[in-house]
Amino acid sequence: MSSPQRASNSSAVWWRLCVGLVCFAFVLRAPFVAVAPIAGDIGADLNWDAATVGLLTGLPALCFAVLTPFAARAVGLLGPNLAISTTILGVGIGVIVRSSGDTAAALVGTILIGAFIAVGNIAVPVVVRRDVAPDRVDVTSGMFTAALNLGSMITSALTAPLALLWGWRVALAFWCVLVVLAAVTWILAVGLRPAFRRRAVRFASPGPNACPRTNASPRPASRGWWWHRTAVTLALAFAGQSFVYFGLTAWLPAILREEVGMTPIGAGAAAGVLQIAAVPGALVAPWLQRRLGMFGALLALEALYVIGPVGLLVASESWAVWMSLSGFAQGGGYTLLFTLVVRVSRDEDQVRVLAAVTQGIGYVAAASAPSLIGALWSTSGAWTAPLVVFIGAAVVCAVSAVLSVAIAGEHGRFPPARGHPA
């Protein structure tokens, strides 16, 4: 086969995989984000108090934090292809169970959704490490991150109108359409048999520029000192970013009501700026990395992440500017951190372990953020202390992110993974 034909085939395979991962990203966020707009309707119908309603919205993040080590083990046993297929099926079951009955069904369904998404969160970087050529990892990561935020935006906007038409159970169950879409596109990307085969080989040849891929080896590649230090700093970066993002997502409407004087409806709609701005941030991040290097791109994005809560503290009337910067930096920063997890890992075992460490610690911070910020606000009676905590978490994220790059390789020159060009 001629080289141009091989390159054409490689591009077609890569695009199929990207479509499959983008549609899979919808499944990883939309099912639990859909609850927030109609949480009041669910609580009123099932006679829940505020604490129980909070469980329904907070349980998935708690599942991510608690179950990530087990999810990493599951991905290792099943292989990433079957792990993604299992996630799609499990989330679909969870969505149906959550909408089918009373309090017990709603909580059990929510736990199922959180548990299976935890598996999918780990499987994605393993697939990217195995099947995506090194020069396309950043673009693939950007599209995946943009899809995470886009799925959140779509479900946040449409779930409440669907509930007005058909009730909250149908509104939540409606998002099974995303599960079906993810299943179809994933099977088209990898093939029917590999999608349900334990320890499936990679889905197709990614072309002449990709590094050799193997299934998990019984003797994983050794981890040098730089890998362990990078794991620690990446985990802190994910923790800081997750704390700010989940904390602001939960409390930004309240901040806008009290600090800017918005109505509840206006504040809820305005808070969407944080989610909307993340989409272009995720898509622009690969371009920034290629222009500035990984070090420069992360430094610029994480500086914006710190500026967001600082601006909200000192000039809340310009909230749209600050939250646009925060959202842009969140989408771009997550993309580059995701890329780092893939780039510094030498094989599928390492990327699975590193993803588990970073996401596990990150989601512990995410799960604690809403309650900690709420407690600070209740104690102080003002938003100054919570915003100072947001600033501190953003600084931790920024410092840890750039340290990760500095440790892994000066100014973005990473130790080459096995088979990568130096």
Side-chain angles (χ1 to χ4, degrees):
M1 182 184 294
S2 66
S3 179
Q5 189 175 353
R6 280 201 307 269
S8 176
N9 290 343
S10 174
S11 295
V13 167
W14 174 67
W15 274 111
R16 287 202 304 270
L17 178 64
C18 286
V19 172
L21 290 178
V22 162
C23 294
F24 183 59
F26 296 154
V27 171
L28 295 182
R29 292 295 179 270
F32 69 86
V33 170
V35 171
I38 57 172
D41 297 339
I42 298 171
D45 185 53
L46 297 178
N47 295 316
W48 286 357
D49 56 17
T52 308
V53 173
L55 270 180
L56 201 61
T57 56
L59 267 177
L62 187 60
C63 287
F64 302 159
V66 173
L67 299 179
T68 289
F70 304 100
R73 179 63 176 164
V75 173
L77 291 173
L78 297 175
N81 283 21
L82 182 55
I84 287 180
S85 301
T86 302
T87 297
I88 294 171
L89 179 62
V91 170
I93 293 172
V95 170
I96 293 170
V97 170
R98 184 179 60 182
S99 303
S100 64
D102 55 7
T103 297
L107 294 178
V108 169
T110 301
I111 292 171
L112 286 174
I113 291 169
F116 281 104
I117 290 177
V119 174
N121 286 338
I122 301 298
V124 171
V126 178
V127 168
V128 173
R129 170 62 184 82
R130 184 191 64 184
D131 292 331
V132 176
D135 59 345
R136 289 174 170 170
V137 167
D138 54 352
V139 177
T140 306
S141 303
M143 287 192 287
F144 176 76
T145 304
L148 290 175
N149 289 282
L150 186 61
S152 299
M153 289 165 47
I154 292 171
T155 50
S156 294
L158 297 182
T159 301
L162 289 172
L164 286 175
L165 290 174
W166 298 311
W168 68 266
R169 287 183 174 85
V170 174
L172 292 182
F174 175 83
W175 298 113
C176 276
V177 299
L178 297 179
V179 174
V180 174
L181 178 65
V184 171
T185 55
W186 178 242
I187 290 172
L188 288 176
V190 304
L192 182 60
R193 290 182 63 189
F196 292 97
R197 184 184 298 164
R198 182 177 178 271
R199 288 289 183 191
V201 297
R202 56 183 170 81
F203 68 97
S205 174
N209 294 324
C211 56
R213 308 299 205 272
T214 60
N215 287 323
S217 167
R219 297 182 62 188
S222 61
R223 302 168 189 160
W225 66 269
W226 62 269
W227 191 90
H228 291 285
R229 295 189 183 184
T230 303
V232 172
T233 51
L234 275 174
L236 290 174
F238 269 98
Q241 184 178 69
S242 299
F243 186 94
V244 175
Y245 175 71
F246 279 82
L248 280 177
T249 299
W251 288 107
L252 184 56
I255 294 173
L256 295 178
R257 289 198 306 269
E258 297 187 20
E259 298 297 316
V260 185
M262 290 188 176
T263 64
I265 294 176
V273 170
L274 187 68
Q275 313 296 336
I276 295 169
V279 176
L283 297 176
V284 169
W287 177 83
L288 282 177
Q289 181 194 340
R290 296 180 183 189
R291 291 296 299 268
L292 305 177
M294 181 65 83
F295 187 92
L298 262 177
L299 185 63
L301 288 168
E302 298 304 342
L304 293 180
Y305 209 46
V306 175
I307 289 173
V310 170
L312 202 58
L313 176 63
V314 301
S316 58
E317 67 277 4
S318 300
W319 62 269
V321 174
W322 312 129
M323 290 304 94
S324 295
L325 293 177
S326 287
F328 184 89
Q330 187 273 327
Y334 184 90
T335 296
L336 296 187
L337 291 175
F338 184 100
T339 301
L340 270 170
V341 169
V342 175
R343 288 279 302 277
V344 303
S345 300
R346 294 181 180 272
D347 60 16
E348 293 172 41
D349 283 325
Q350 283 196 1
V351 75
R352 178 167 52 86
V353 171
L354 187 54
V357 170
T358 56
Q359 292 186 28
I361 294 176
Y363 283 118
V364 168
S368 65
S371 56
L372 178 58
I373 294 300
L376 282 173
W377 175 77
S378 298
T379 301
S380 65
W383 287 106
T384 301
L387 287 172
V388 169
V389 172
F390 280 137
I391 294 168
V395 169
V396 169
C397 175
V399 172
S400 301
V402 296
L403 279 177
S404 299
V405 182
I407 293 170
E410 184 181 2
H411 291 246
R413 296 194 296 272
F414 306 103
R418 186 177 300 171
H420 280 223

